[in-house]
Amino acid sequence: MSRSTVSTLATPVTERDHIRGPDDAPLTLVQYGDFDCPSCKEMYPVLKQIQNRLGDQLQFVFRHFPLTEAHPHALRAAEAAEAAAAQGKFWEMHDMLYEHQDALEQENLLDYAADIGLDTEQFARELDAGVHQERIEEDVASGAQSGVDGTPTFFINGRRYDGPSEHDALLEAIAQAGDLTAIQASIRHRDRALRETIDRSRSGAPAAGEAIRDMFSADEIFQRLVATADEEFRRSNRLLFMSGLAAGLAVTLTFLARSAVTAAVPLESASLIGNLFYPVGFVLIVMGRYQLFTENTLTPVTLVLTRIASIRNLLRLWGVVIIANVLGAALGAYVLASTGVFTPEAAAVASGFGEHAFATGWWDLFFKGVFAGNIVAAMVWLVHASQETTTRFLIVIFLMFLIPSTDLFHCITGACEVLYFVFQGNESLLAAFADFFVPVTLGNIVGGVLLVALLNYSQIAERQFPNRDPSQLKLSWAEWLYSRRSGGPPATSFNPERTDKRSDDDY
């Protein structure tokens, strides 16, 4: 929040401004914002909640104040919003930019323009020609005259707000300016102990169970899955790829540790002890929140099943992650096959893993993949059901140990094993793809998506979003098939600050 000796709005609100809310609203909240500003993005859902809470009593105004030195995409994003405004869709683009702040390149802006139904040729021409830069400069000049030197900066009925960038503080300041005594009383006297009991993360997902604090119900676990899924969908392709590459390299550690330990233990139970090290890579992936196909990428299926995210978006996410995973695993396998990292004994064990995979029949690999996918998806569900790091660690260790111990196959760890065998000159890449990777990947998908995600969803289909009508979030059938966007931020659906109108007594 900015600080200045100027405390009043120098340029009054006019029809020129971008306004949400009725013209005769008793309260006016003006924001000077930057679409590339992380703090502005954090305030975006807060402002939505406040607007929904106050309804016709509030007029919200957005003015541009791009901090171009700190935020390289700020000016172009502001121009995109104005180009959308020229076609009558400023607020649609405003929401799109904040909801996808990590992807503000030119190609992303064109995609957003298409998603909200703009004439993309006109949109692109205006961006290239800088048609709207003068309008943005006028907003910046008016902000400077009002003492704005950072974002977000707010003015309530013309007076600058210098309090915390938090929901309750801003809402109370607005209520005080409008003499909304009922809202002020509800905020001040809210039961703090109750708020702690139903504590929720910033996304709105529950951080503690409502009935029993240290245990979640099925629908609360589902809400946490939805929040994770929403986060995955909002990541850019670049971030997904880099995280997926790191996950592929982490899986290499599973292959390395399992092979080395199995070779080093001179006992009949060597393979059992070696299997204890199979979860090593998965621990890194789960605790480090890397993107691994069938692990973090299973959660977005929950949004597709509820028709809040499109199949196209799911396939984009899966495609980027699986390519990155395989590249990471291939790189690790190549290094191990072409260097002396393995001892001769460990190298023989590692080759044995690949040889065993190639010796297993296509349909056997498929059904082994089904059961492995089931196990991984169960791990995802239980990780979201737990609150402590130690519990999550033990869940990952126990469940991932079952995969090698029962001779099942995971597509990415298995890819590392067979590619090592290929790089030693024993098989072809085509055979590795057609005879191993395809059946195991299909099996993992069937086991994870259909047998677990669908069953888990069916438990709580009627209670998926307790504080909002799910139909408001759903995509049309056409959008569900090919749209790039989501039906709306799922976090809003179960945020404790409900978006539907309620009386002050509800607080």
Side-chain angles (χ1 to χ4, degrees), residues 298-504:
L298 272 176
T299 51
V301 174
T302 56
L303 290 186
V304 176
L305 290 173
T306 53
R307 221 169 78 222
I308 293 173
S310 68
I311 292 177
R312 175 184 174 181
N313 219 351
L314 177 67
L315 294 179
R316 172 193 69 86
L317 176 66
W318 277 8
V320 172
V321 171
I322 199 168
I323 290 171
N325 286 169
V326 173
L327 285 176
L331 177 60
Y334 178 78
V335 171
L336 292 175
S338 57
T339 64
V341 174
F342 277 141
T343 64
E345 296 79 10
V349 171
S351 294
F353 292 147
E355 185 177 8
H356 170 64
F358 277 110
T360 306
W362 202 98
W363 283 107
D364 288 339
L365 288 172
F366 173 79
F367 285 108
K368 286 175 181 287
V370 169
F371 282 101
N374 190 290
I375 291 172
V376 174
M379 179 194 71
V380 174
W381 181 264
L382 292 178
V383 163
H384 283 81
S386 36
Q387 296 175 291
E388 298 177 352
T389 301
T390 302
T391 304
R392 295 189 182 104
F393 176 82
L394 293 175
I395 288 170
V396 175
I397 292 291
F398 177 75
L399 290 179
M400 290 305 98
F401 169 73
L402 293 179
I403 292 179
S405 299
T406 52
D407 195 28
L408 304 179
F409 290 97
H410 182 274
C411 59
I412 306 302
T413 54
C416 189
E417 295 169 358
V418 299
L419 287 173
Y420 177 84
F421 196 66
V422 167
F423 292 144
Q424 287 191 319
N426 299 314
E427 276 288 357
S428 67
L429 279 173
L430 179 60
F433 177 76
D435 297 337
F436 176 82
F437 191 72
V438 170
V440 172
T441 301
L442 291 176
N444 287 167
I445 292 173
V446 170
V449 175
L450 296 183
L451 298 183
V452 176
L454 187 60
L455 291 176
N456 287 338
Y457 165 65
S458 69
Q459 296 181 53
I460 39 70
E462 300 303 322
R463 297 176 293 162
Q464 51 188 305
F465 302 116
N467 293 334
R468 188 170 174 185
D469 181 2
S471 64
Q472 298 177 9
L473 300 171
K474 285 187 177 180
L475 301 172
S476 68
W477 287 109
E479 291 174 325
W480 183 67
L481 288 173
Y482 59 78
S483 175
R484 290 175 60 91
R485 68 184 183 88
S486 299
T492 306
S493 308
F494 43 81
N495 195 290
E497 302 294 347
R498 291 179 55 176
T499 58
D500 55 326
K501 292 183 179 180
R502 295 186 289 179
S503 68
D504 297 324

Side-chain angles (χ1 to χ4, degrees), residues 68 83 91 102 120 197 204 237 267 296 300 341 346 355 429 446 478 504:
T68 53
W91 290 109
D102 59 347
T120 54
T197 301
N237 289 343
L267 300 171
N296 284 348
V341 174
E355 185 177 8
L429 279 173
V446 170
D504 297 324

